[in-house]
């Protein structure tokens, strides 16, 4: 279950990165129709005025959606069959079912993006929906290795609250980033090939680029400050090693993201560097979610067994142990000596 759930995380993160590559290579209208590639061809075919390489890039990304769907269905089937204590875990099944449903929703929304000539609002929703599906995949990955007991804090109360607050701040930063991209020069295509008559340009947000960029940077500074405070406080208060490690990883990712962000802005927004920036935001999103889940524990994957003959008892893994010890320890048991 853990391995398959991780495959879901990788697939959903990967499709966001390949989607960004489509946009930043100006291939967003390489296939100007939907669900067909063109009005006369289901597969990649030449379109007037657009290089064939753009068509291949866009069509390849569409085909990758089928691979993501295969993984999503595998995740759902595995969650349905997953019964660590002899009973199906409904919460995990719902989290898993969100992945194939999300792929279908993304396909429909992707069609709207194409048919509206890369309308920036539709493109922003496309990215944010992908980020939401990724968040559900990370949640499944974290939850399948722990029980359903009440959450117990592993860190100080204020640090737990701060770790939870980081998630909406990162989400806000992602949303602001889509507005920056939808305002800037990287529109996904330079023109609308099927507009007829004189070529029309892809629509943009009618906002000042410097203003939305500054807002995005300000949110980044707020996020970086909060992450730095959290990482230092986790270290000083003796939080579990895994939690402290995730805090420093998140701080490193946010710091690197800031450097890349300023570098791309002052170098004229080169597409390659912008792609690295988008990919970094995906990693930050995953790390922030992982850190939030790591600051609490919901008990062992399977409940402790009743005392056996002779007073011996079989105990489940320690709280949080299944997740931190690796795949081999999930659902494992150990026998402890009887108490005198």
């Amino acid at each position: 279950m853990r391995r398959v759930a991780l495959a879901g995380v990788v697939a959903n993160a990967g499709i966001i990165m390949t989607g960004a590559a489509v946009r930043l290579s100006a291939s967003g209208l390489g296939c100007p129709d939907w669900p067909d590639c063109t009005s006369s061809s289901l597969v990649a075919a030449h379109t007037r005025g657009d290089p064939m390489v753009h068509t291949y890039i866009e069509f390849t990304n569409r085909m990758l959606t089928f691979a993501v769907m295969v993984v999503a269905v595998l995740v759902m089937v595995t969650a349905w069959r997953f019964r660590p204590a002899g009973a199906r875990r409904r919460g995990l099944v719902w989290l898993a079912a969100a992945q194939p449903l999300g792929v279908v929703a993304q396909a429909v929304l992707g069609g709207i993006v194409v048919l509206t000539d890369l309308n920036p609002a539709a493109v922003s929703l496309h990215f944010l929906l992908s980020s939401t599906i990724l968040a559900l995949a990370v949640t499944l990955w974290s939850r399948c290795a722990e029980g359903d007991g009440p959450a117990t804090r592993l860190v100080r109360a204020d640090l737990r609250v701060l770790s939870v607050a980081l998630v909406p701040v990162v989400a806000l930063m992602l949303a602001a980033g889509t507005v920056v991209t939808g305002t800037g020069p990287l529109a996904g295509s330079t023109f609308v090939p099927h507009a007829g008559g004189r070529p029309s340009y892809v629509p943009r947000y009618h906002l000042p680029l410097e203003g939305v960029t500054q807002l995005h940077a300000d949110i980044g500074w707020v996020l970086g400050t909060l992450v730095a405070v959290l990482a230092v406080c986790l270290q000083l208060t003796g939080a579990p090693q895994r939690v402290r490690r995730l805090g420093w990883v998140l701080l490193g990712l946010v710091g690197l993201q800031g450097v890349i962000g300023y570098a791309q802005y002052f170098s004229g927004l080169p597409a390659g560097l912008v792609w690295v920036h988008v990919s970094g935001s995906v990693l930050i999103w995953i790390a922030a979610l992982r850190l939030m889940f790591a600051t609490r524990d919901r008990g062992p994957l399977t409940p402790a067994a009743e005392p056996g003959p002779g007073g011996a008892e079989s105990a489940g893994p320690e709280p949080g142990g299944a997740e931190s010890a690796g795949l081999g320890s999930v659902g494992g048991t150990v026998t402890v000596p009887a108490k005198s």
Side-chain angles (χ1 to χ4, degrees):
M1 182 69 244
R2 187 91 159 125
R3 290 188 178 99
V4 173
L6 179 59
V9 173
V10 173
N12 283 285
I15 200 67
I16 295 176
M17 296 177 185
T18 59
V22 170
R23 181 178 184 83
L24 297 171
S25 63
S27 304
L29 291 176
C31 285
D33 208 349
W34 188 89
D36 295 345
C37 181
T38 69
S39 58
S40 59
S41 176
L42 174 65
V43 299
H46 181 69
T47 57
R48 181 173 59 86
D50 209 10
M52 194 63 187
V53 64
H54 289 171
T55 302
Y56 285 135
I57 292 173
E58 164 64 4
F59 187 73
T60 299
N61 189 64
R62 290 190 182 188
M63 292 299 98
L64 287 176
T65 301
F66 291 99
V68 177
M69 176 58 91
V70 170
V71 175
V73 171
L74 178 61
V75 169
M76 186 175 68
V77 172
T78 305
W80 179 263
R81 294 170 56 87
F82 183 52
R83 303 182 185 188
R88 184 176 293 115
R89 297 181 64 181
R90 293 178 180 271
L92 298 188
V93 173
W94 282 111
L95 285 170
Q99 295 190 40
L101 292 175
V103 173
V104 174
Q106 279 292 67
V108 173
L109 186 53
I112 294 174
V113 168
V114 172
L115 296 177
T116 58
D117 302 329
L118 305 184
N119 181 281
V123 175
S124 294
L125 288 176
H126 197 46
F127 179 85
L128 295 177
L129 178 56
S130 292
S131 300
T132 302
I133 299 170
L134 176 58
L136 295 174
V138 173
T139 302
L140 175 65
W141 180 33
S142 299
R143 290 284 293 114
C144 70
E146 61 184 10
D148 289 322
T152 302
R153 285 188 293 105
L154 299 179
V155 298
R156 223 169 55 186
D158 56 332
L159 300 182
R160 167 64 180 162
V161 171
L162 183 54
S163 70
V164 174
L166 285 179
V167 173
V169 175
V170 175
L172 182 62
M173 185 184 69
L174 295 177
T178 66
V179 175
V180 174
T181 305
T183 305
L186 301 171
S189 181
T190 55
F191 60 89
V192 181
H194 60 273
R198 297 170 57 186
S200 61
Y201 290 97
V202 174
R204 320 296 299 128
Y205 285 122
H206 298 293
L207 298 169
L209 180 58
E210 290 188 4
V212 293
T213 302
Q214 184 61 59
L215 175 62
H216 183 51
D218 291 342
I219 296 172
W221 277 105
V222 171
L223 176 63
T225 301
L226 294 177
V227 174
V229 170
L230 179 60
V232 171
C233 289
L234 288 174
Q235 186 71 36
L236 295 178
T237 57
Q241 181 180 2
R242 183 167 63 96
V243 180
R244 285 182 276 131
R245 183 174 64 249
L246 284 170
W248 291 119
V249 167
L250 181 57
L251 180 59
L253 288 173
V254 172
L256 181 60
Q257 185 78 337
V259 171
I260 295 173
Y262 279 105
Q264 69 175 8
Y265 180 76
F266 290 112
S267 60
L269 299 177
L273 200 55
V274 175
W275 182 85
V276 174
H277 192 63
V278 174
S279 300
S281 70
V282 174
L283 298 179
I284 289 174
W285 184 228
I286 295 173
L289 291 164
R290 292 285 294 136
L291 178 58
M292 178 184 69
F293 289 123
T295 57
R296 93 287 183 273
D297 175 72
R298 300 195 66 175
L301 183 65
T302 55
E306 295 295 327
E313 61 181 5
S314 179
E318 296 179 1
E323 188 168 348
S324 58
L327 300 173
S329 64
V330 174
T333 59
V334 294
T335 302
V336 297
K339 298 179 181 178
S340 58

